[in-house]
Amino acid sequence: MSDWIPFGEGRYRVEQAFLIAPNLHATVLEKAFIEVYLDRLQRLQLKGRGFVYNILVVQMLEDTDEIDLILDLGGDYKYILKNPKLDAGKVFSPRIKSTMQFSPGTPWEQIPQKEFENLASRLKLLSV
């Protein structure tokens, strides 16, 4: 699966990240970054993390089990991770953010700038 990662080993800041449900309800993943690393078989892997209001993720999951993640790494580097693996803290207080870790279940797909902007403009951001 590492042949879809166009970056070398390292840590990369994410300028914008959104968790998105099919109905376009979304929440922001704040202070997100991705890490590209070599696994024990010397294959490139990707994982990331950011801060999120877990209560909003739970609210999204009440409607669907399908949540995608879009990442803006700046410039033309815009990606969508379809149904990524998500792991978050157990804090459900409405005003507290916790760390959410994510990793792809399938290779991410690069999306053109215009498509990213169009999608981002249609999001219905949830708030606490």
Side-chain angles (χ1 to χ4, degrees):
M1 184 152 49
S2 66
D3 49 337
W4 56 268
I5 301 173
F7 305 110
E9 285 183 87
R11 196 173 190 173
Y12 300 88
R13 185 176 68 88
V14 176
E15 291 189 10
Q16 298 180 86
F18 302 96
L19 293 167
I20 304 172
N23 61 6
L24 296 181
H25 286 172
T27 188
V28 175
L29 194 61
E30 298 178 10
K31 298 180 182 174
F33 66 88
I34 61 169
E35 185 177 348
V36 176
Y37 63 97
L38 288 174
D39 67 11
R40 60 183 170 75
L41 299 175
Q42 299 301 300
R43 295 176 302 196
L44 284 176
Q45 299 294 320
L46 179 133
K47 63 182 176 181
R49 71 177 61 201
F51 289 95
V52 68
Y53 287 108
N54 285 0
I55 196 80
L56 297 179
V57 177
V58 170
Q59 187 176 338
M60 291 170 62
L61 288 169
E62 288 175 353
D63 295 332
T64 183
D65 290 336
E66 296 178 32
I67 293 182
D68 296 334
L69 175 63
I70 58 172
L71 301 170
D72 173 3
L73 301 175
D76 291 332
Y77 299 104
K78 316 278 192 259
Y79 298 92
I80 186 164
L81 278 77
K82 298 281 189 175
N83 204 23
K85 298 172 189 166
L86 302 174
D87 186 25
K90 306 282 188 272
V91 179
F92 297 105
S93 175
R95 300 277 180 215
I96 297 178
K97 296 176 196 163
S98 69
T99 301
M100 173 170 281
Q101 298 176 27
F102 59 88
S103 60
T106 60
W108 64 7
E109 302 168 31
Q110 188 167 11
I111 55 178
Q113 174 77 23
K114 284 279 193 207
E115 185 179 330
F116 177 87
E117 290 170 0
N118 181 29
L119 178 58
S121 72
R122 295 180 12 243
L123 297 179
K124 301 167 197 150
L125 291 176
L126 302 174
S127 62
V128 290

